[in-house]
């Protein structure tokens, strides 16, 4: 069982200081002022954001969803995202950048152009990976092979919530490869921490992104959802309009 002693709470707060917390705010403001205006963002239900701790649960439609959602919170509040460690590998991210036509549609894949594309993809992956790693991310193994990593992640997430912080998660997993929610229990940390859940739906359009923030699911309701908590909460997320 995860403890919530003052020593552990102090440790969680200390993690949010420089350089990790600093990088979080740098990333937040870069996205807020240089990317969000270009994408266009409409937020509905911002008044539903609690002033205390909660687990933020959202659907996953684009690679930058996490950056989008941190901009809807007040500047002094931070989200610790649960992220698959495999997606934070430079090799993995390099392949993703290299294969995505929307990033480098003007650079071919053959000959010298292919070499340039690979170098640019590598540089972009290094920037992407380290900006995420230094932004209060909690790494998990979604394939559940590294039990020690997941145990540590669970403890850190629960301690963060018990200390009054915010943890964010995309239960579906990646944008392209969705998990079967009936077989997962990734939101079990909310039951362990006895914390409320804030459901959020992201609608990505050609012109503007819409973020719908639903009513908070109380800690009492969270605790009675059982092992189908992922499917139940994501059903609530999908129903938001």
């Amino acid at each position: 069982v995860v403890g919530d002693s003052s020593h552990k709470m102090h440790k969680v707060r200390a993690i949010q200081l420089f350089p990790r917390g600093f990088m979080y705010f740098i990333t937040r403001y870069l996205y807020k002022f240089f990317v969000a205006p270009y994408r266009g963002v409409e937020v509905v239900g911002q008044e539903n954001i609690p002033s205390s701790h909660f687990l933020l649960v959202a659907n996953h439609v684009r690679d930058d969803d996490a950056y989008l959602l941190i901009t809807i919170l007040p500047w002094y509040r931070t989200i610790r995202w649960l992220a698959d460690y495999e997606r934070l590998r430079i090799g993995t991210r390099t392949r993703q950048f290299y294969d995505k036509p929307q990033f480098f549609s003007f650079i071919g894949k053959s000959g010298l152009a292919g070499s340039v594309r690979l170098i640019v993809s590598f540089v972009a992956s290094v920037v992407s990976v380290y900006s995420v790693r230094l932004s209060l991310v909690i790494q998990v193994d979604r394939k559940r092979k590294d039990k020690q990593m997941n145990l540590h992640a669970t403890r850190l997430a629960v301690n963060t919530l018990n200390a009054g912080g915010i943890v964010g998660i995309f239960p579906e997993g990646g944008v392209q490869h969705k998990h079967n929610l009936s077989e997962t229990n990734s939101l079990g940390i909310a039951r362990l921490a006895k914390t409320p859940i804030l459901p959020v739906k992201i609608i990505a359009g050609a012109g503007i992104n819409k973020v719908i923030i639903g009513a908070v699911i109380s800690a009492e309701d969270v605790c009675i959802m059982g092992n189908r908590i992922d499917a139940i909460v994501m059903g609530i997320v999908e129903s938001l309009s």
Side-chain angles (χ1 to χ4, degrees):
V1 178
V2 181
D4 59 348
S5 65
S6 59
H7 171 72
K8 289 184 178 180
M9 290 183 182
H10 175 74
K11 183 178 180 181
V12 170
R13 292 192 181 101
I15 291 173
Q16 299 185 16
L17 301 178
F18 184 89
R20 289 182 180 270
F22 178 77
M23 192 63 201
Y24 177 96
F25 288 111
I26 290 294
T27 305
R28 178 184 190 276
Y29 283 107
L30 284 175
Y31 190 92
K32 184 177 180 68
F33 292 111
F34 292 101
V35 180
Y38 170 75
R39 285 280 177 89
V41 181
E42 177 188 356
V43 181
V44 178
Q46 199 152 13
E47 68 279 2
N48 291 328
I49 299 176
S51 57
S52 58
H53 66 295
F54 60 87
L55 179 68
L56 189 155
V57 179
N59 61 320
H60 207 356
V61 296
R62 282 179 173 166
D63 286 335
D64 61 349
D65 288 339
Y67 299 112
L68 172 64
L69 292 179
I70 66 176
T71 64
I72 69 175
L73 293 178
W75 68 269
Y76 53 86
R77 304 196 72 184
T78 58
I79 304 175
R80 298 213 65 179
W81 289 101
L82 291 166
D84 187 1
Y85 84 100
E86 286 193 351
R87 292 177 60 81
L88 300 180
R89 288 180 172 179
I90 292 176
T92 302
R93 293 297 288 168
T94 298
R95 287 191 297 272
Q96 290 174 342
F97 278 119
Y98 184 85
D99 292 333
K100 284 190 175 181
Q102 63 265 42
F103 284 106
F104 307 115
S105 58
F106 55 93
I107 306 177
K109 290 186 177 182
S110 60
L112 180 60
S115 299
V116 172
R117 183 176 180 131
L118 180 60
I119 293 172
V120 174
S121 297
F122 174 75
V123 173
S125 71
V126 171
V127 174
S128 172
V129 166
Y130 281 98
S131 67
V132 172
R133 285 184 180 178
L134 296 175
S135 297
L136 307 179
V137 164
I138 300 174
Q139 297 187 52
V140 299
D141 179 8
R142 284 196 175 270
K143 294 182 179 179
R144 302 184 181 183
K145 293 181 179 179
D146 193 334
K147 294 182 179 180
Q148 193 63 32
M149 175 187 288
N150 288 345
L151 179 60
H152 173 73
T154 299
R155 286 175 174 167
L156 190 52
V158 172
N159 284 338
T160 299
L161 292 166
N162 286 338
I166 304 169
V167 174
I169 185 172
F170 299 107
E172 297 171 314
V175 175
Q176 296 177 338
H177 304 290
K178 305 293 187 181
H179 290 279
N180 184 347
L181 296 178
S182 64
E183 298 176 356
T184 63
N185 188 25
S186 58
L187 302 185
I189 57 173
R191 295 167 60 197
L192 286 173
K194 297 185 170 105
T195 189
I197 289 177
L198 183 68
V200 176
K201 183 177 183 179
I202 303 171
I203 302 175
I208 190 169
N209 293 289
K210 190 172 184 180
V211 178
I212 305 174
I213 305 172
V216 173
I217 304 171
S218 69
E220 292 76 14
D221 289 338
V222 167
C223 289
I224 63 175
M225 287 182 178
N227 293 331
R228 296 193 66 252
I229 184 171
D230 286 33
I232 295 173
V233 173
M234 287 309 296
I236 295 173
V237 169
E238 289 302 320
S239 69
L240 296 175
S241 60

